[in-house]
Amino acid sequence: MLAKDGKMRLTDVADTKTLLRIIQTIPSPKAEPFKRWLAQVGSERLDEIVNPELAINRAKETYIRKGYDDSWIAQRLKSIDSRKDLTDNWKERGAKDRDYAILTDEIYKSTFNMNTA
């Protein structure tokens, strides 16, 4: 990886999924609270698969904790749903991976006279 001094340095790295798996294997009692939290989050996500409304409620609660008001939250959730409808429509019409970025950029250009970058 590139170091602060501009030189390339050999280092060990891991993505989030790998780090969580490593933590699961640590036999230390100090790791137990984090393992319990992982189990709790995993259980909640499985519950959300069965009942997706739980995920929507979790999103609302997160926005409330961040200080957003009810009207902002309602608008945000509506915009997420609208975006999903739009991308579903693009998918039905044959859009592939990079197409979504290109199409989104075109919307930004025509609506806001700016690009997504």
Side-chain angles (χ1 to χ4, degrees):
M1 295 185 83
L2 185 62
K4 288 183 182 180
D5 64 5
K7 295 180 181 178
M8 296 299 286
R9 305 278 186 207
L10 185 62
T11 186
D12 294 326
V13 296
D15 61 12
T16 303
K17 185 176 180 179
T18 302
L19 286 173
L20 294 173
R21 292 288 294 138
I22 290 169
I23 290 166
Q24 289 174 327
T25 66
I26 297 171
S28 169
K30 291 182 179 181
E32 284 306 310
F34 195 76
K35 290 179 182 181
R36 283 193 298 275
W37 175 79
L38 283 175
Q40 178 65 36
V41 170
S43 176
E44 290 169 0
R45 295 312 162 270
L46 291 172
D47 291 344
E48 290 170 2
I49 290 169
V50 174
N51 182 1
E53 186 176 342
L54 296 173
I56 295 167
N57 292 338
R58 182 172 51 86
K60 286 180 182 178
E61 290 169 10
T62 299
Y63 287 132
I64 289 168
R65 281 194 307 274
K66 289 184 171 198
Y68 293 103
D69 64 42
D70 290 340
S71 63
W72 185 94
I73 295 169
Q75 183 60 41
R76 175 66 178 142
L77 294 176
K78 185 177 177 182
S79 71
I80 290 169
D81 192 44
S82 296
R83 174 69 182 183
K84 183 176 178 342
D85 288 344
L86 179 63
T87 56
D88 285 350
N89 188 291
W90 290 345
K91 183 177 182 179
E92 288 172 10
R93 295 170 183 262
K96 302 292 182 220
D97 298 333
R98 179 94 174 104
D99 296 335
Y100 295 98
I102 293 167
L103 290 165
T104 300
D105 209 46
E106 287 299 319
I107 290 171
Y108 272 58
K109 284 180 197 173
S110 63
T111 307
F112 305 112
N113 197 28
M114 58 192 310
N115 62 30
T116 52

